Amino acid sequence: MKHQKNFIINDIKVAPGETKQINLDVARLHSGTHIDLLVHAYRSAKPGPVILVLGGVHGDEVNGIEIVRRLIANKHFNNLLCGSVIAIPLLNIYGFLNFSRDLPDGKDVNRSFPGNKNGSLASRVAHVLSDEILPWIDFGLDFHTGGSTRYNFPQIRYSPSDEKAIELAKIFAPPYLIPSHPIDKSLRKVAQERGTPFLVYEGGESLRIEDFSIKEGIKGTLRVLHAHKMIKEAPPVAFPTVTLPKKRWIRASKSGMFRWLRQSGDSVVEGETLGIISDPYGYSEAIVTSTQTGILFGHNNASVVNQGDALFHVGYK
Ligand SMILES: [Zn+2]
């Protein structure tokens, strides 16, 4: 059992029963400033699972960072009844500094796993996590938001071929469960290949703090801890969890100014009006209709869109 071992992170030992904060040296900025990754390790003396709670793989997805920050600040991990939590609120510090998903080299950490210690910045950040953290954990919770202006209604993405991930996703019990095969070189894929299941939580949109998505992320995390007897209580499930095994994007047929009339969380039927795209001069309007009956689990908040842009994400059975 992984919990029995002493964690060695950045040559610092964290034994069962100990709680420590560790600064992991990642690299330097062009200004010469050191970039340290702050890792919180909370360990009960009693055996149990080791869980990674991770935010900020994408530096602009602030809800994810805020979920982990609140869990730490509200001391949810301070008196674990068993097991361990490793909490990292912000993995991609470079992206956070630049209000960007990616690193200054334009690369995405979540397409750079397992990484390389001599590689690009993204590859180095991925390597630090793969090398220093993944060996110690049993499973992970990775907190994200929709990319760019796309809003995601609180949901968990998990691998449908991974029994443990399915079990964890049901325990987390977000409004929507989205089974999806992981992308090559993503954290979820590389961890799964090493036998470590990951749930990817998506809630809200980048660069926008949204309390609903943050609270759903926190509640789900507490339910996972509670199911493993690590904490005494967990919030009840307020929404019936809906699994959406199939999904498709409804895209812009024209470029122009976009107003949505239906939004994430709404049930829609094929042919229904979802939004309007207008030219800026008052000549024409195009109706965006649903090509699918299902549930909107994501939508685009962009005010101006281009032909082909993804506007609504519909999930269905
Ligand atoms: Zn993300």
Side-chain angles (χ1 to χ4, degrees):
M1 198 177 205
K2 289 187 172 176
H3 186 272
Q4 309 297 76
K5 297 177 185 161
N6 293 324
F7 301 164
I8 310 291
I9 302 170
N10 207 23
D11 296 328
I12 294 167
K13 187 177 91 176
V14 193
E18 289 187 324
T19 288
K20 282 186 186 167
Q21 281 86 52
I22 296 159
N23 284 308
L24 260 173
D25 182 27
V26 181
R28 277 177 191 267
L29 291 179
H30 48 285
S31 59
T33 310
H34 258 293
I35 290 287
D36 284 330
L37 181 62
L38 183 57
V39 179
H40 298 258
Y42 303 89
R43 309 208 61 191
S44 163
K46 203 175 155 197
V50 184
I51 307 176
L52 172 63
V53 179
L54 176 66
V57 169
H58 294 132
D60 59 350
E61 298 184 0
V62 288
N63 282 343
I65 300 165
E66 176 65 5
I67 287 167
V68 185
R69 187 200 72 78
R70 280 195 206 174
L71 285 161
I72 292 167
N74 294 329
K75 302 189 166 38
H76 285 294
F77 306 138
N78 283 53
N79 295 298
L80 296 175
L81 303 174
C82 69
S84 303
V85 170
I86 297 177
I88 302 175
L90 175 55
L91 182 71
N92 179 0
I93 297 165
Y94 302 91
F96 186 68
L97 286 168
N98 292 318
F99 307 102
S100 160
R101 172 186 178 89
D102 300 322
L103 282 103
D105 58 12
K107 294 205 168 78
D108 183 337
V109 178
N110 214 20
R111 303 287 180 273
S112 304
F113 281 92
N116 182 325
K117 74 173 191 271
N118 299 314
S120 67
L121 279 178
S123 183
R124 287 173 195 226
V125 172
H127 176 262
V128 167
L129 195 78
S130 303
D131 201 47
E132 297 272 3
I133 306 296
L134 288 192
W136 309 115
I137 66 165
D138 293 306
F139 59 88
L141 307 176
D142 181 13
F143 292 94
H144 289 252
T145 73
S148 185
T149 53
R150 289 185 296 278
Y151 178 93
N152 278 332
F153 205 81
Q155 59 194 255
I156 287 282
R157 305 209 174 170
Y158 62 99
S159 302
S161 58
D162 184 337
E163 289 298 326
K164 179 70 180 171
I166 296 169
E167 180 198 328
L168 290 169
K170 287 180 179 163
I171 294 167
F172 195 103
Y176 301 137
L177 290 178
I178 315 282
S180 67
H181 293 288
I183 299 165
D184 277 348
K185 297 180 118 183
S186 67
L187 170 58
R188 179 154 67 98
K189 173 125 190 204
V190 168
Q192 188 184 319
E193 287 164 357
R194 294 180 181 187
T196 308
F198 260 74
L199 300 184
V200 170
Y201 177 83
E202 294 269 347
E205 68 183 88
S206 64
L207 294 174
R208 198 177 299 275
I209 287 281
E210 194 224 11
D211 217 47
F212 171 60
S213 294
I214 292 163
K215 284 183 174 152
E216 284 301 310
I218 291 170
K219 288 180 197 167
T221 305
L222 296 178
R223 287 194 279 269
V224 170
L225 296 184
H226 181 251
H228 292 87
K229 302 184 166 54
M230 298 168 76
I231 56 174
K232 277 204 193 92
E233 290 175 355
V237 180
F239 295 85
T241 298
V242 179
T243 303
L244 299 169
K246 294 183 179 169
K247 56 187 185 295
R248 73 157 60 154
W249 279 105
I250 295 166
R251 294 180 179 275
S253 59
K254 290 181 68 170
S255 302
M257 299 173 71
F258 173 57
R259 288 165 283 154
W260 48 253
L261 303 174
R262 306 303 303 274
Q263 60 174 308
S264 301
D266 290 348
S267 294
V268 296
V269 295
E270 190 179 343
E272 185 174 344
T273 299
L274 302 181
I276 298 167
I277 301 171
S278 319
D279 74 78
Y281 309 107
Y283 294 128
S284 68
E285 285 192 332
I287 303 290
V288 181
T289 54
S290 186
T291 54
Q292 177 66 48
T293 295
I295 295 173
L296 299 181
F297 68 94
H299 71 273
N300 198 332
N301 278 325
S303 50
V304 177
V305 296
N306 287 301
Q307 216 166 23
D309 280 359
L311 300 182
F312 299 95
H313 217 171
V314 191
Y316 56 102
K317 305 269 180 190

